[in-house]
Amino acid sequence: MIPDSNDPELNGKYLGTITKDFVKISDILKEASYQVRSRKFSKYPIFPISKTDQPIGQLFLGKDEKDLDWNYYITYLDEFIQRKLISEENLEEFYQSYKDPDEFCCLFVVDQDFTSFVYIPYPEE
């Protein structure tokens, strides 16, 4: 599974609702990303998102909590490796595609048959 932020299905079907949510909670996600990194849990925080329950990570923000379209989970690269969602052979490609976590939020969209990494820039302060 390799990050692909230019998937046409993503742009057409998902980006609008993801962006709508992101505006509401970007500060919370940015702070969580900072805490994961500053506490040395991982250099690579990842926020899986889905409209239904899914097994990757821990639920961080439920869609009903904040009037969102998506549930937001929190995890890191290690869980993706353990679950074999990212193989050892693909690690280098992941590292190269992972964007600066101070500037971009790494989301992992999970919806029925579609899964993809998405990097969304945090709003300028």
Side-chain angles (χ1 to χ4, degrees):
M1 170 143 331
I2 304 303
D4 181 6
S5 58
N6 294 321
D7 189 306
E9 187 172 0
L10 171 71
N11 291 329
K13 191 171 179 182
Y14 299 103
L15 216 45
T17 61
I18 293 170
T19 303
K20 188 175 95 180
D21 274 5
F22 193 74
V23 168
K24 297 178 189 176
I25 60 169
S26 61
D27 289 346
I28 298 168
L29 297 176
K30 187 174 188 177
E31 179 62 23
S33 172
Y34 172 77
Q35 292 298 330
V36 164
R37 291 176 287 122
S38 68
R39 294 179 184 189
K40 308 260 190 275
F41 292 125
S42 176
K43 293 180 181 178
Y44 304 98
I46 301 170
F47 296 93
I49 68 170
S50 67
K51 294 192 179 202
T52 59
D53 289 341
Q54 59 82 35
I56 305 167
Q58 298 291 317
L59 183 63
F60 183 61
L61 291 170
K63 62 183 181 180
D64 297 331
E65 256 179 86
K66 298 268 185 194
D67 190 30
L68 304 169
D69 288 329
W70 298 84
N71 292 307
Y72 288 75
Y73 295 76
I74 186 168
T75 190
Y76 356 99
L77 176 60
D78 295 349
E79 183 175 357
F80 277 72
I81 294 168
Q82 290 168 2
R83 290 181 174 271
K84 297 182 176 22
L85 297 169
I86 296 177
S87 67
E88 296 288 332
E89 299 84 50
N90 292 335
L91 266 180
E92 193 56 43
E93 195 171 339
F94 176 84
Y95 294 140
Q96 289 175 0
S97 67
Y98 193 88
K99 297 185 185 314
D100 180 347
D102 286 323
E103 294 182 25
F104 290 86
C105 185
C106 177
L107 301 177
F108 182 69
V109 180
V110 179
D111 187 49
Q112 296 168 355
D113 297 330
F114 179 81
T115 56
S116 180
F117 284 96
V118 180
Y119 296 90
I120 298 191
Y122 292 111
E124 301 271 335
E125 300 199 16

